[in-house]
Amino acid sequence: MHELGIVFYIIKDVKQVAEENHVDHVSTVVMDIGEVSTVVPHLLTDCWRWAADKEDLLKGCEMQVNTIPAVTHCDGCQKEYETVKYGKTCPFCNSQNTWLLRGNEVEINSIIV
Amino acid sequence: MDQVKVIEIKKSVFADNEQDAENLRKELKSKGVYLLNLMSAPGSGKTTTLVKTLNHIKDKVRVAVMEADIDSDVDAVRIKLATGVPTIQLHTGGMCHLDAEMTRQGLDNVTLKDINLVILENVGNLVCPAEFDTGAVRNAMILSVPEGDDKPLKYPLMFTVCDLVLINKTDVMPYFDFDLERCKQNILMRNPKATIIPISAKTGEGIDAFADWLLNEVQNWKL
């Protein structure tokens, strides 16, 4: 539900990069979205279509989403495991002393011009 | 055919907001103003809790309230009438959260030199506001008994970013399958450092504990 707000941030950043690189049209924006980032990719791309087409720089610009799998590290046994499958509790040693290693990214990877 | 060129960015979408938030916090520190970001689901009792709390602390600290909603000014009017505390209403223009820039624009309408504490009542929502640092010194949230003790499991980020969790509507606990101890465990699993205060905005239970926490925070921010 916060995807539209995120799209406005992306547009601001892409505009800035385009200006710095003297680019007048962007054909694709590539995003890295973590599996547990709470961003829903299809809502992000829907909002993107609506907002991007209002900008000359981004008319027809596609958004490509790379999903980053979520991985949690366990301080109890120093192992890593899939966050989505096991959540906060380590499947190897049952410790809850765990933290997210990756998977909450909401990043602009690159633009293709 | 035109040559295709890839420009690498590799930048978090939230990076600019986090920088804005950090700048705002520094500015508030230099002015001696403490900003609390209060979040919750709609209907958890944010406004009622604020009214009770403001009446408790308004003689001890110079406080103002910023109400953020998608539309209407019912909360701002209600708080102003019930407490007399300076209150401003922000509209998010359809957005489900406030960011640091919107918060700064709101603070421009508050006479900060006369104020030590600003309480920001964020948009009622357990998802989006947790993603965006507003520039507040601390994040607090209200979880009310009818919502259930499992909410920290379902909305992990909200409970991870909050320094203070108020468990509201304790007066109706006998009518719900709400286990206070299980709820506390669920919160502490997300954030072992969270302070948890059970309150009832209706009966006033726990409001003094919340007020003490707040006054202590404001005092320490000034030092």
Side-chain angles (χ1 to χ4, degrees), chain B residues 4-16:
Chain B
V4 169
K5 187 178 157 199
V6 176
I7 301 172
E8 197 166 275
I9 300 181
K10 291 275 181 202
K11 181 187 166 195
S12 165
V13 169
F14 303 118
D16 285 348

Side-chain angles (χ1 to χ4, degrees), chain B residues 143-155:
Chain B
L143 170 67
S144 66
V145 164
E147 293 168 59
D149 53 36
D150 58 349
K151 289 302 163 288
L153 305 176
K154 297 172 88 168
Y155 301 91

Side-chain angles (χ1 to χ4, degrees), chain A residues 48-62:
Chain A
W48 172 256
R49 185 73 286 128
W50 178 82
D53 285 344
K54 292 185 169 38
E55 305 281 341
D56 286 341
L57 175 75
L58 302 169
K59 241 181 204 98
C61 175
E62 292 298 323

Side-chain angles (χ1 to χ4, degrees), chain A residues 40-51:
Chain A
V40 182
H42 81 268
L43 294 181
L44 188 69
T45 52
D46 279 356
C47 291
W48 172 256
R49 185 73 286 128
W50 178 82

